[in-house]
Amino acid sequence: MSWPVPGTLMVEPTESEEKAELDCFADALVSIRGEIEAVENGLADQKVNMLKMAPHTQRDLLVGEWIRLYTREEAAYPLPWLKEKKFGPLITRVDDAYGDQNIFCTCNPVEVLL
């Protein structure tokens, strides 16, 4: 995936991707569209919804009071197959677009690895 033009997303699957994996990706896109429709139709809050609050880190899901308008399970597993193949992000959003365009590394300097 890449973002060659601001506001766009380009997906170029390669021959190394299995069809099942591409099907999961397509299912995720359809699910995201469903979440957008829920907001458009007033079924989900415009500010506190699964898309605006994503990604949901393990800390978000497990620690403290849950004051969101959807369940922890909906946040953790928006698609059934994720119960078996969940990837848990370690951080949540970093200042939306600014954070996406101004990424910084918190890793050790390369010199430490040499």
Side-chain angles (χ1 to χ4, degrees), residues 30-99:
V30 170
S31 177
I32 291 168
R33 180 62 188 129
E35 292 169 12
I36 292 168
E37 287 176 353
V39 173
E40 290 174 337
N41 296 331
L43 302 173
D45 187 79
Q46 288 189 355
K47 293 187 180 186
V48 182
N49 61 63
M50 291 204 330
L51 291 173
K52 288 280 188 175
M53 304 303 289
H56 299 89
T57 65
Q58 290 179 357
R59 182 177 185 87
D60 288 338
L61 296 169
L62 300 173
V63 178
E65 185 180 358
W66 186 260
I67 57 171
R68 298 175 185 175
L69 304 174
Y70 48 92
T71 68
R72 290 180 195 250
E73 185 172 0
E74 288 171 318
Y77 308 110
L79 292 169
W81 55 266
L82 285 172
K83 290 182 179 177
E84 301 296 323
K85 295 183 175 184
K86 176 71 175 176
F87 168 78
L90 300 176
I91 62 167
T92 160
R93 276 187 197 212
V94 182
D95 196 17
D96 291 325
Y98 179 84

Side-chain angles (χ1 to χ4, degrees), residues 15-35:
E15 61 278 357
S16 63
E17 298 294 337
E18 295 180 12
K19 183 178 181 315
E21 194 65 29
L22 294 174
D23 288 344
C24 287
F25 181 70
D27 290 344
L29 293 176
V30 170
S31 177
I32 291 168
R33 180 62 188 129
E35 292 169 12

